[in-house]
Amino acid sequence: MTHDPTKDTSLDADLGALSGHVPDLDPATAERTRLAARRVFDAEVALRDRPVARVFDRVWVRRLEPALLAGSSAYYLVWALLTVSAAAR
Amino acid sequence: MDALREHTLVHGLRHGDAAAFDAVYAELRPRVYAFLLRLCGQPALAADLAQETWLRLARHALSLAPDTRLTPWLFTVARNLYRSHLRWSWLSGRRLAELTVETLTHADPGPSPFEALAADESRRRLEAALAAVPDKYREALVLVCVERLSPQEAAQVAGITPENLRQRLARGRALLAEALGRTRPGEAGE
């Protein structure tokens, strides 16, 4: 490796020492996070073994249903705005 | 984390081994949280982003490539989540850094986030100076100097070229040295 004239070795050493002095998540939050992630991980593993359920999850739960919900929300919002504006006239 | 152990854990994750997931979580949780805390300066936000990072790993664990390097993978996700948060937040990264420094220098003597982070005075000064370095330079310094990622891995996490990373590192070191009142062997700009 070529010498880097901009490198400050004492500064780098001080920064490197910071890696040993970091707070962790508090135990309750850490455990909550682990459990939440494990639930998702276990669900993904369960879906892997059930191809039909996996397709349902990927196509309906993750894509179509949110799109339909967003679409219907937009429809009712426009309907509400038109109704209010008609009533105002 | 050595390469063999990492390979074993990635193999376990890809095959749905819950013990492998718990092992990765136990080993890398503090580093992911610390990385996020140094990026954003807010413990609550860092905890939220850390949780989302682990959820992302849970969702994608089965489809990881066999040669995935877990630490850079997690840091990339964490960094992208933080960037995404910044885009939606009225607070810019610069303002967050300023708030952190204000907290450190003007707050009452009660424990601040970084007082917990840095127990002694010199570490506290260094953490404060690091927090005041603009986002992109601080990110490079934390990835390479604190988290000890290789320049190639750090460039990958930050989504930039190795040369660009080298420039950011040089500039970051200069800014940090200036903030600490240290003389520099040379100055560099990006």
Side-chain angles (χ1 to χ4, degrees):
Chain A
M1 180 182 278
T2 55
H3 174 67
D4 181 354
T6 65
K7 183 163 182 168
D8 182 335
T9 51
S10 73
L11 194 60
D12 280 16
D14 289 347
L15 283 171
L18 291 181
S19 63
H21 299 278
V22 288
D24 198 354
L25 290 167
D26 69 84
T29 306
E31 183 59 10
R32 261 202 315 277
T33 300
R34 188 188 72 80
L35 289 174
R38 270 293 301 279
R39 267 197 299 276
V40 172
F41 181 73
D42 293 343
E44 291 288 332
V45 173
L47 280 177
R48 182 191 59 181
D49 300 332
R50 295 158 55 208
V52 176
R54 189 171 69 231
V55 170
F56 177 78
D57 178 74
R58 297 287 188 270
V59 175
W60 174 254
V61 177
R62 297 195 190 189
R63 299 204 181 267
L64 290 180
E65 191 179 27
L68 285 173
L69 281 175
S72 66
S73 300
Y75 171 81
Y76 283 114
L77 181 63
V78 170
W79 176 81
L81 287 172
L82 290 175
T83 305
V84 169
S85 100
R89 276 190 251 116
Chain B
M1 185 183 290
D2 67 75
L4 181 62
R5 177 161 167 70
E6 188 165 39
H7 184 75
T8 308
L9 289 173
V10 169
H11 183 269
L13 288 175
R14 282 166 44 80
H15 290 83
D17 180 2
F21 187 88
D22 285 348
V24 173
Y25 182 74
E27 196 154 330
L28 295 179
R29 181 196 65 233
R31 290 184 66 188
V32 169
Y33 175 67
F35 173 61
L36 282 165
L37 184 57
R38 288 195 169 102
L39 281 190
C40 72
Q42 297 177 315
L45 176 59
D48 286 348
L49 295 175
Q51 172 156 356
E52 187 54 37
T53 302
W54 289 105
L55 289 175
R56 294 284 173 95
L57 177 64
R59 280 190 208 107
H60 295 98
L62 299 178
S63 55
L64 288 176
D67 60 347
T68 299
R69 301 294 317 281
L70 285 172
T71 309
W73 192 95
L74 285 165
F75 281 8
T76 303
V77 172
R79 185 246 182 209
N80 289 342
L81 285 170
Y82 170 61
R83 291 282 159 200
S84 181
H85 168 82
L86 279 186
R87 274 196 290 275
W88 291 98
S89 170
W90 66 274
L91 284 171
S92 71
R94 181 65 183 243
R95 179 65 186 143
L96 281 174
E98 285 167 4
L99 282 175
T100 306
V101 173
E102 282 165 12
T103 304
L104 283 162
T105 52
H106 302 300
D108 64 27
S112 72
F114 279 95
E115 279 171 346
L117 189 71
D120 65 51
E121 178 61 21
S122 62
R123 278 208 306 273
R124 193 197 67 78
R125 268 192 76 223
L126 186 56
E127 290 284 7
L130 185 61
V133 172
D135 256 11
K136 61 182 181 181
Y137 305 118
R138 182 170 72 252
E139 179 181 85
L141 288 172
V142 171
L143 285 170
V144 174
C145 303
V146 181
E147 294 299 338
R148 312 286 177 87
L149 263 60
S150 71
Q152 287 75 18
E153 288 173 338
Q156 190 186 338
V157 170
I160 56 178
T161 64
E163 174 56 23
N164 202 336
L165 181 91
R166 197 195 70 79
Q167 290 174 351
R168 287 189 186 183
L169 270 177
R171 181 73 181 137
R173 285 189 182 106
L175 290 168
L176 187 60
E178 188 183 322
L180 290 166
R182 295 188 188 180
T183 54
R184 296 274 307 145
E187 292 294 332
E190 187 175 355

